[in-house]
Amino acid sequence: MTRLTLISKPDCHLCDVAREVVETVVAELPEESVTVDELSIQDDQALHDLWWEKIPVVLVDGRLHAHWRVSPDRLRAALTEEVSR
């Protein structure tokens, strides 16, 4: 199973947009092929220190996929590739 992690913070417009892109793309994939976790930089100092100026951040299986803006086409391609492995 592929794991997607969205790193965000409350009241972040770009985070809201990224969340919508993630939800839309994951809904198109086979059920239960991708798990989505959302973590807030406000809840974890290490995440804050690492990502505070790049949120939203999307990790796919722990690897950086995107930050600031998430392309639906690029995310779809990456997740489809991971799911087919």
Side-chain angles (χ1 to χ4, degrees):
M1 179 174 295
T2 300
R3 180 172 302 278
L4 182 146
T5 306
L6 174 60
I7 302 171
S8 63
K9 73 174 187 173
D11 300 320
C12 166
H13 171 71
L14 289 177
C15 299
D16 294 340
V17 172
R19 187 178 303 106
E20 289 177 21
V21 169
V22 166
E23 290 172 356
T24 299
V25 171
V26 169
E28 297 170 359
L29 298 170
E31 192 172 325
E32 298 183 20
S33 61
V34 178
T35 59
V36 178
D37 297 317
E38 185 167 353
L39 305 174
S40 172
I41 63 169
Q42 289 186 330
D43 298 333
D44 185 319
Q45 187 63 45
L47 285 177
H48 179 273
D49 293 347
L50 188 59
W51 299 113
W52 71 273
E53 63 184 349
K54 298 204 184 234
I55 62 165
V57 173
V58 174
L59 307 175
V60 175
D61 288 336
R63 294 182 311 274
L64 177 63
H65 170 76
H67 58 84
W68 296 322
R69 302 210 183 266
V70 182
S71 161
D73 293 336
R74 187 167 171 264
L75 181 59
R76 186 177 298 106
L79 291 177
T80 300
E81 181 179 326
E82 288 297 320
V83 166
S84 67
R85 288 184 183 194

